[in-house]
C-alpha cells in the first residue's frame, strides 16, 4: 500500500459508513488488502491495477459508494475512521518485512 494521506482515510471511512456496522472491520481489511495488491501490481507491471487502482487507499475505496461529507464528524464517522486507522496500522505491521 502506498503512503496514507488524510484524504485516503476520509474516503475509506466514508466508504465504511455505507457498510453494516458488523461488517466494517472486514471491509476495512479488504480495502487495505486491495490497496496493497494494487501497489504490488503497479510496481511490477508499471500501471494501475485494473480493479483496485494505483495502490492508494483512496483508489481502493473509489469503487465503493461513499457516505456524503458532513460539516462535522459524528460518532459513526469517527468510529469508521478509527477502524480504518487501526487496519492501516495492522496492515503495515503485518507486511513490514
Amino acid at each position: 500500500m502506498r503512503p496514507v494521506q488524510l484524504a485516503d482515510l476520509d474516503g475509506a471511512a466514508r466508504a465504511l459508513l455505507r457498510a453494516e456496522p458488523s461488517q466494517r472491520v472486514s471491509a476495512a481489511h479488504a480495502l487495505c488488502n486491495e490497496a496493497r495488491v494494487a501497489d504490488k501490481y503497479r510496481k511490477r507491471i508499471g500501471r494501475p491495477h485494473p480493479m483496485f487502482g494505483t495502490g492508494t487507499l483512496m483508489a481502493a475505496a473509489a469503487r465503493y459508494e461513499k457516505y456524503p461529507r458532513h460539516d462535522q464528524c459524528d460518532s459513526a464517522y469517527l468510529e469508521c475512521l478509527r477502524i480504518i486507522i487501526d487496519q492501516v496500522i495492522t496492515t503495515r505491521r503485518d507486511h513490514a518485512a
Side-chain angles (χ1 to χ4, degrees), residues 38-68:
D39 192 33
K40 289 175 100 173
Y41 181 93
R42 179 190 61 84
K43 288 176 182 175
R44 189 178 66 239
I45 305 296
R47 61 180 178 265
H49 188 280
M51 287 185 64
F52 306 141
T54 60
T56 65
L57 194 52
M58 184 183 300
R63 59 194 209 105
Y64 297 98
E65 187 176 345
K66 288 176 207 56
Y67 203 78

Side-chain angles (χ1 to χ4, degrees), residues 5 8 11 17-18 22-24 30 32 35 58 60 71 73:
Q5 306 292 321
D8 294 299
L17 278 168
R18 290 289 187 188
S22 64
Q23 298 300 313
R24 289 177 178 163
C32 287
M58 184 183 300
D71 57 348
C73 298

